[in-house]
Every structure is written in C-alpha cells, then in structure tokens.
Amino acid sequence: MKITLTVNGKEFPLDVEPRRILADVLREDCRLTGTHLGCEHGVCGACTVLVDGEAVRSCLMLAVQCDGRSVRTVEGLAGPDGEPSALQRAFSAEHALQCGFCTPGFLMAAAGALEADPTLADHPERVEHIVGSNVCRCTGYEPIRRAIMRAAQEQQQPVT
C-alpha cells in the first residue's frame, strides 16, 4: 500500500504492507533507529513517538494509520542546528539515563506532555503519570522525574 509519512517534517513516500507496524517502518524504511522496540505489546513505552502531537506506542500502531499524519521521533527533538532540546539537556544534566534503551520513549512521552501542557511544572502528579507510563530498569525513575520537572520549569521561564 502506498502511503506518505511525514516524519520530523520530512516526507517519506513508502510502499508498505498494511500489516506492518509503525515502529518497524520508522526503523527499517525511514532509517530512524532512535525508536526502540522493547516488549512489542505496548507496555514498556520504549517505542513511544508523537503522532499529530499525541504520544502513541508505535509497536501498536500500523504504519498505514499514519498516512498523511505528522510523526515525530526522538531524532526530531534536536533543533535545526543539531543542538539538543531543553528536554534532552535536562535528561543529561539530571543523569536520567543509564543504558539508554528506554530514553527515547521517555523523551517522547515527556515532549508530548510538555507541548500539550505548559503548566506541567505546577503539577508534579502529572509528571508522575508520565514517568509511570514507561518502564526503566536502570534509573529508579527519580532522575527521569527530575529531568522532566527541570525541562517544564525551564519552559515556564520567560525568555529575556
């Protein structure tokens, strides 16, 4: 089936089997390997991407469902000059990654939440929900929570 995915602002005209999942198409056809596959059942969150701004598990979504829609992967977080986003910088500063396998999913879940709710820093319980949505076996979650709060607070500060 012929589809066009718009991934990180770039169009990818593709011919895919209707049964292929978005995660596989992103990794194999678009060569965007930042999206990781963990459990392949939608539980771990490693494959989280944004589709039209909403965090989704790309292991549970068919690529054909994204025809004509906007997909954003972890590769799309950095600025046009390649500089890390505020969220990526916060993850680094707070040591919110160890092995790094879960990191792209956490980054994308947090990016979607931060874009949808600029007041996230005022609601730590919402950050707990984001952190609880994905699985990490290395960090104990606290550094991830701190990183998301740090990015949320930075986002709220007025630009001078």
Side-chain angles (χ1 to χ4, degrees):
M1 177 175 208
K2 293 193 182 308
I3 64 170
T4 300
L5 295 183
T6 303
V7 185
N8 302 328
K10 180 180 175 188
E11 286 194 358
F12 289 86
L14 302 165
D15 191 3
V16 299
E17 292 181 44
R19 64 185 171 90
R20 288 192 62 213
I21 61 171
L22 178 59
D24 287 342
V25 170
L26 290 171
R27 291 181 58 79
E28 296 166 13
D29 300 0
C30 301
R31 299 287 181 220
L32 297 168
T33 58
T35 300
H36 294 163
L37 279 164
C39 68
E40 297 188 56
H41 296 286
V43 176
C44 74
C47 68
T48 302
V49 299
L50 301 181
V51 176
D52 293 336
E54 183 180 342
V56 301
R57 306 290 207 231
S58 63
C59 72
L60 297 179
M61 183 169 252
L62 299 173
V64 296
Q65 292 176 282
C66 296
D67 185 23
R69 298 172 77 185
S70 173
V71 178
R72 190 168 173 207
T73 69
V74 70
E75 290 91 347
L77 287 182
D81 57 356
E83 281 295 309
S85 68
L87 184 59
Q88 290 169 307
R89 289 191 309 272
F91 264 64
S92 178
E94 295 293 342
H95 308 286
L97 55 118
Q98 287 182 23
C99 80
F101 191 83
C102 67
T103 305
F106 275 110
L107 284 167
M108 296 315 296
L114 287 166
E115 290 168 10
D117 184 3
T119 68
L120 195 61
D122 300 331
H123 304 281
E125 71 281 358
R126 293 185 193 158
V127 173
E128 294 300 326
H129 178 72
I130 296 163
V131 172
S133 70
N134 289 19
V135 174
C136 175
R137 295 184 176 173
C138 300
T139 67
Y141 298 96
E142 184 58 26
I144 297 168
R145 187 198 63 73
R146 285 194 317 261
I148 295 170
M149 286 298 291
R150 182 183 192 131
Q153 290 163 349
E154 184 177 318
Q155 176 178 297
Q156 281 187 327
Q157 293 176 356
V159 177
T160 55

